[in-house]
Amino acid sequence: MTDNINNDKSGSGDGKKRPVILVIMDGIGLSDKEYGNAVLAAYKPNLDELMKTCPHTKLKAHGTAVGLPTDDDMGNSEVGHNALGCGQIYAQGARLVNECIESGKMFQSETWRMLIDNCIKNNSTLHFIGLLSDGNVHSNINHLKAMIAKAKEEGVSKVRIHILLDGRDVEATSALKYVADLENLLSQLNCAAFDARIASGGGRMKITMDRYEANWNMVKLGWDTHVLGIGRQFKSATEAIETYRKEHNVIDQDLPPFVIAENGKPIGTIEDNDSVVLFNFRGDRALEISRAFDDENFDKFDRVRYPKVIFAGMLQYDGDLKIPRRFLVSPPNIQNTLSELLVRHGIKQYAISETQKFGHVTYFWNGNRNEKFNEELEVFEEIPSDRVPFEQRPWMKCAEITDRFITSIKSDEYLFLRTNFPNGDMVGHTGNFAAAVIAVESVDLCIGRIIEAVDEVNGILIVTSDHGNADEMYEKANRDEKPRVKTAHTLNPVPFIIYDKQKQHKIKEGEFGLANVAATIVKLLGLEKPDIWEESIIEE
């Protein structure tokens, strides 16, 4: 079918189809503010030259532009790559769950009924595990509070909560605020017939929330903490957080695990006949702990004890692999993606990143689909990430990614190629400004190499990002306050640049978001976009 494609609109006249190359600079947003801006501070001659000489604009990469409830909600790599890869805006994450809770649909679901009936029948405990914040990236504390209140209303007598501390999608040291909020609700609900308490916890980058199988020991440590009740004991979550802050001087995401105990005995181990809800709605950091609960033949670590529980996720985090088997809210049914369109036209495409973002240019890009649409026309390559703190090696695997990417560009096999450089996001999350500057500079060096390869094959290069992060590394509430490390994503727009040595493409007037990129790519490939997609950013 590729014979019907003609994207030779450069005036070269040779009729040869020109490849389109997409570079996603993860976590690199645009801001004019110099304070804490590692992107502005970086020496990046290639990006600066592109911005000076090429058609470019700013894209909205957060809030309603990526399907989140409001424009106060920061974007993230998952919803960003969904929008980039499908050309449409779908209700996502918090918005999906909000709608299901507000309508009562969640509490009418078969899974919710199974969880509740199990606890009532066996007089057993309902456990909640998840990220305790209102960051709206992985979870929202209000979802947890609604479920606890509903559980009491429906006759559950005992609830235990296993909290993961954020400090990444919210302020770096805000955990005590969320603990106080939760414990205030519990004090209102608790009575002779209802006992709800925090049972365990720890920082999200220490326990439970690993992703892409980068560090199964994190998940084992979470299992030991939440399920087995193994770990340092405290009287309360507040005591644990305050003690660890004094001892370790780290932000919330890096706090060690803790167990709440009375008389030396953990108050909330997970036992046979209990029900367990993982209330995170984002999939990447929920898959591994879900597998530990859901898979009888699990072999990634020794669980020591495998309690027979009813386990459910907030969403099904992987629809193809059916992880988990039970879930409370159905994920968006994303259809008519860019990859599907290219496969229908027989276009061979290539995607590459390192482990930390490999799922973003594959699974999330293809609309939360684990399987390829076509084994022959979709080629995916993963570069294993280093298992070291990102601030210690801020260049990460960008050189290796670029080596393979350039080889694929020059192979003449592919008409569409995409890559993600994770540096700006992963290093940005560490809060280390100097490392983030190096991260941005590393990506810039790679872009310079890619430009040379694009010229060699007479290709068209698009450079963009999925959300901001490294563009705001510090924050302060007022002028007199001491600067605080900011590890969360930003609300800043991201760049969209077209480099084409044959033609200066014209950017349309108007405001655009990440979902407009797919239509732009198909226009450059000489194809027609589906009517349901957002419009292209460029004119003919």
Side-chain angles (χ1 to χ4, degrees), residues 245-449:
R245 282 183 178 169
K246 291 177 183 177
E247 293 179 355
H248 296 273
N249 192 31
V250 294
I251 61 177
D252 295 341
Q253 65 178 358
D254 296 317
L255 289 170
F258 58 85
V259 174
I260 307 305
E262 289 182 349
N263 301 316
K265 183 179 180 180
I267 67 169
T269 56
I270 299 177
E271 306 292 337
D272 287 346
N273 299 318
D274 286 349
S275 294
V276 181
V277 175
L278 179 58
F279 65 88
N280 286 9
F281 46 72
R282 175 168 143 179
D284 59 344
R285 294 190 184 274
L287 281 167
E288 292 171 43
I289 189 66
S290 294
R291 288 169 61 184
F293 274 105
D294 237 16
D295 185 356
E296 292 184 5
N297 301 312
F298 182 82
D299 62 359
K300 298 299 182 180
F301 58 81
D302 182 5
R303 292 178 291 192
V304 181
R305 178 170 60 82
Y306 180 46
K308 297 178 181 178
V309 301
I310 303 295
F311 174 79
M314 182 65 86
L315 280 76
Q316 186 167 59
Y317 307 119
D318 190 319
D320 293 308
L321 299 178
K322 309 301 180 188
I323 301 173
R325 288 170 290 168
R326 301 183 183 94
F327 50 96
L328 292 167
V329 179
S330 296
N333 182 22
I334 297 178
Q335 299 179 354
N336 297 302
T337 65
L338 173 57
S339 290
E340 290 176 82
L341 177 66
L342 298 185
V343 164
R344 284 200 302 270
H345 285 276
I347 292 179
K348 193 171 184 180
Q349 50 189 302
Y350 174 82
I352 185 173
S353 187
E354 62 177 273
T355 305
Q356 288 295 332
K357 296 291 181 177
F358 177 69
H360 296 81
V361 291
T362 55
Y363 171 79
F364 290 107
W365 179 276
N366 278 353
N368 305 330
R369 178 186 174 92
N370 213 46
E371 302 295 325
K372 296 177 181 177
F373 294 104
N374 185 291
E375 285 291 335
E376 294 182 359
L377 295 177
E378 292 178 280
V379 176
F380 300 159
E381 188 166 5
E382 176 183 0
I383 306 296
S385 291
D386 292 322
R387 295 188 178 185
V388 298
F390 301 116
E391 69 272 21
Q392 293 181 13
R393 203 168 294 173
W395 45 87
M396 299 180 69
K397 289 294 186 178
C398 64
E400 291 91 331
I401 292 171
T402 303
D403 290 343
R404 304 282 187 87
F405 198 48
I406 288 174
T407 298
S408 298
I409 290 170
K410 293 181 178 180
S411 70
D412 205 28
E413 283 189 59
Y414 310 99
L415 271 183
F416 177 56
L417 306 93
R418 60 184 181 270
T419 190
N420 178 300
F421 290 117
N423 309 59
D425 190 37
M426 302 312 299
V427 182
H429 279 311
T430 70
N432 188 313
F433 181 83
V437 170
I438 295 172
V440 176
E441 292 176 345
S442 300
V443 172
D444 186 76
L445 280 171
C446 294
I447 288 174
R449 294 179 58 202

Side-chain angles (χ1 to χ4, degrees), residues 418-479:
R418 60 184 181 270
T419 190
N420 178 300
F421 290 117
N423 309 59
D425 190 37
M426 302 312 299
V427 182
H429 279 311
T430 70
N432 188 313
F433 181 83
V437 170
I438 295 172
V440 176
E441 292 176 345
S442 300
V443 172
D444 186 76
L445 280 171
C446 294
I447 288 174
R449 294 179 58 202
I450 291 169
I451 290 172
E452 293 179 1
V454 170
D455 283 346
E456 188 172 323
V457 300
N458 190 29
I460 304 168
L461 174 66
I462 295 175
V463 178
T464 189
S465 178
D466 54 348
H467 58 76
N469 187 331
D471 40 295
E472 287 182 19
M473 297 293 295
Y474 300 128
E475 62 183 351
K476 47 184 177 178
N478 56 66
R479 179 179 296 179

Side-chain angles (χ1 to χ4, degrees), residues 479-531:
R479 179 179 296 179
D480 299 325
E481 185 184 50
K482 183 180 178 180
R484 296 173 296 177
V485 170
K486 180 174 182 178
T487 55
H489 296 167
T490 73
L491 301 178
N492 293 326
V494 300
F496 175 88
I497 309 165
I498 298 184
Y499 170 80
D500 183 350
K501 68 176 182 179
Q502 295 290 341
K503 179 179 180 179
Q504 285 279 66
H505 299 271
K506 185 175 181 182
I507 303 288
K508 291 180 181 177
E509 294 289 334
E511 296 183 358
F512 301 99
L514 296 180
N516 297 94
V517 173
T520 310
I521 290 169
V522 299
K523 176 168 282 192
L524 292 170
L525 288 169
L527 302 173
E528 294 294 327
K529 77 173 185 68
D531 292 339

Side-chain angles (χ1 to χ4, degrees), residues 1-53:
M1 288 184 77
T2 54
D3 291 340
N4 295 326
I5 302 169
N6 181 9
N7 69 341
D8 178 31
K9 299 181 180 181
S10 65
S12 60
D14 59 10
K16 184 177 179 181
K17 302 172 184 66
R18 304 177 64 201
V20 175
I21 295 95
L22 174 68
V23 171
I24 301 165
M25 308 179 297
D26 210 296
I28 294 180
L30 296 174
S31 172
D32 294 330
K33 297 178 181 178
E34 294 185 6
Y35 182 75
N37 191 334
V39 178
L40 277 184
Y43 175 68
K44 50 185 192 310
N46 295 300
L47 274 172
D48 290 344
E49 183 67 15
L50 289 176
M51 292 288 283
K52 185 190 303 182
T53 61

Side-chain angles (χ1 to χ4, degrees), residues 110-214:
E110 180 181 348
T111 297
W112 177 260
R113 291 262 49 86
M114 187 180 298
L115 292 161
I116 298 300
D117 292 346
N118 176 62
C119 290
I120 294 173
K121 174 185 175 182
N122 294 294
N123 191 29
S124 58
T125 304
L126 174 59
H127 297 265
F128 293 98
I129 302 173
L131 189 66
L132 190 73
S133 81
D134 56 2
N136 267 357
V137 175
H138 290 270
S139 67
N140 191 306
I141 187 175
N142 292 322
H143 301 159
L144 170 65
K145 291 162 66 176
M147 289 188 289
I148 295 171
K150 190 66 174 179
K152 176 184 179 180
E153 178 186 321
E154 297 195 351
V156 172
S157 61
K158 186 176 179 180
V159 168
R160 292 293 181 264
I161 307 108
H162 307 269
I163 61 173
L164 299 166
L165 308 177
D166 196 343
R168 192 177 180 97
D169 299 323
V170 293
E171 292 179 5
T173 55
S174 55
L176 290 174
K177 176 179 71 173
Y178 298 107
V179 168
D181 184 17
L182 177 58
E183 295 210 334
N184 179 59
L185 172 72
L186 300 183
S187 67
Q188 296 175 35
L189 294 176
N190 283 340
C191 60
F194 186 72
D195 174 26
R197 287 188 274 176
I198 296 172
S200 72
R204 58 179 282 181
M205 297 305 288
K206 283 293 184 180
I207 65 170
T208 312
M209 284 178 61
D210 181 47
R211 67 176 174 189
Y212 305 147
E213 302 189 49

